[in-house]
Amino acid sequence: QVHLVESGGGLVQAGGSLRLSCAASGGIFSINAMGWYRQNPGKQRELVAIITSAGTTTYADSVKGRFTISRDNAKNTVYLQMNSLKPEDTAVYYCNAPRVKVTGTYLEVWGQGTLVTVSS
């Protein structure tokens, strides 16, 4: 069974930085894209950033220039460096791997979420 385990969330003041990590494990042959989403209560989950196995990145307009997504393919780990944080970045951040190759099939996997709180 494939698991995504996030870490690095917490409380930070506006203007500060945090780095999120997400490690995938469990019978994985390969992972194509990995990404980060975020969600607040009563709102839809929204894309923050995605990175392909080749390193191509896509960002939400709201985080461009402030957040950087990266990955270590050998470790099946994706990172999200968040700088110049704003109160509106407060959310639960979820790691996602939409197409994980395992024995006999492909799976979409989500992490359990990590809370990021930015105080003003």
Side-chain angles (χ1 to χ4, degrees):
Q1 188 173 4
V2 179
H3 297 278
L4 298 180
V5 179
E6 300 124 334
S7 61
L11 173 65
V12 64
Q13 288 188 331
S17 299
L18 282 175
R19 188 191 195 211
L20 305 182
S21 299
C22 171
S25 62
I28 298 169
F29 284 94
S30 63
I31 304 177
N32 186 5
M34 297 184 76
W36 291 94
Y37 290 72
R38 63 188 182 187
Q39 187 173 24
N40 278 307
K43 295 189 176 181
Q44 283 191 329
R45 192 170 295 187
E46 64 176 3
L47 172 69
V48 176
I50 286 181
I51 185 168
T52 70
S53 56
T56 301
T57 58
T58 302
Y59 294 93
D61 288 342
S62 59
V63 307
K64 282 180 181 177
R66 300 187 298 122
F67 290 11
T68 301
I69 189 170
S70 61
R71 67 189 284 174
D72 183 334
N73 290 332
K75 296 181 179 180
N76 287 330
T77 299
V78 64
Y79 307 95
L80 185 68
Q81 178 66 43
M82 305 185 292
N83 299 327
S84 302
L85 282 160
K86 304 175 181 180
E88 51 263 44
D89 294 318
T90 295
V92 177
Y93 284 70
Y94 295 92
C95 180
N96 172 256
R99 188 172 171 85
V100 179
K101 185 176 181 180
V102 297
T103 302
T105 190
Y106 291 87
L107 302 173
E108 179 177 20
V109 187
W110 288 90
Q112 80 285 358
T114 185
L115 177 63
V116 172
T117 304
V118 184
S119 63
S120 58

